[in-house]
Amino acid sequence: MPRPDAAMFELDPAPKVITFDCYGTLVQWYEVLLREIGAVLAVQGRDAAEASAVLDTFSGHSRRLEAERPHRLYKDILRTGFRAALAEHGLAAGADVVERLATAIPTMGPHPEVPEALRRLRERYKLAIFTNSDEDLIVHNVARIGVPFDYVITAERAQAYKPSRQLFEHAYRTMGVTKDETVHVAMGMFLDMKACHDLGVRGIWVNRLGQRGNPDWLPYAEVPDLDGAAALLLPARD
């Protein structure tokens, strides 16, 4: 495993709560959705290799919908976003197809290293999830992770989606800590590392897909997976 990027990270002041994005960071968002979109493409006689482009289009629609007011539930954004993405790629977007994709979200389980890394982190810190999701969706993902969290902060409860500071500020009030008493661990560059930069929160970017970061949103440490994040947060003692 590549060494974690300690140059961009400091444990002083010591955090009390480690906060995590869920979809992609902890659970297999891309893997599950690429599989499901690929199956839809195959049924419609299209190349499954198009799945990544369809998912990227969905992500663009979801960001637009998440920025709208009044607040929309994520389950509505999923269905509206997938319907629009499928249509944009010339795919049939019947209710059965849209439901197949939308209902895949609660089935997402953890990346292989996640449960053990979280168990080690729980020995020193409180753990929280900050998620662009609804209460009745994320509960299934948390159960599949199989490790208790002290707090689960949803966009539904905050009435705002990341990267809005409203969700983060709601979370800090709920947890009774300041931003300086946290570290945020996430795969999302725009949704999470941008928010960390704007708020002055310490961030660890879990770069599972080998993507390029955005230097405009530094400082953040970069690691390949949750074991890398744990190495920064639980440094070896002399």
Side-chain angles (χ1 to χ4, degrees), residues 103-173:
T103 57
I105 278 62
T107 73
M108 294 171 177
H111 292 283
E113 85 286 0
V114 163
E116 179 55 32
L118 290 175
R119 280 190 281 269
R120 287 187 282 126
L121 288 166
R122 272 189 65 80
E123 296 178 1
R124 186 178 301 186
Y125 306 107
K126 289 187 175 181
L127 306 181
I129 285 175
F130 291 4
T131 180
N132 279 0
S133 191
D134 301 335
E135 300 279 326
D136 59 351
L137 292 180
I138 197 66
V139 65
H140 299 287
N141 304 113
V142 173
R144 289 177 182 277
I145 292 169
V147 178
F149 286 83
D150 298 281
Y151 308 96
V152 177
I153 307 297
T154 64
E156 179 183 8
R157 190 62 61 88
Q159 290 290 286
Y161 289 96
K162 297 178 293 182
S164 169
R165 64 188 306 127
Q166 182 175 328
L167 187 147
F168 286 81
E169 290 171 348
H170 164 81
Y172 301 141
R173 290 193 301 271

Side-chain angles (χ1 to χ4, degrees), residues 181-228:
E181 295 174 315
T182 70
V183 173
H184 189 57
V185 180
M187 186 177 176
M189 179 52 59
F190 174 76
L191 295 180
D192 294 273
M193 292 303 105
K194 180 181 186 301
C196 289
H197 173 81
D198 291 347
L199 286 163
V201 175
R202 284 173 288 181
I204 298 176
W205 181 38
V206 181
N207 186 12
R208 292 190 181 276
L209 301 180
Q211 298 174 322
R212 287 183 177 273
N214 189 327
D216 291 341
W217 300 331
L218 288 168
Y220 53 80
E222 179 181 342
V223 297
D225 54 25
L226 214 66
D227 281 334

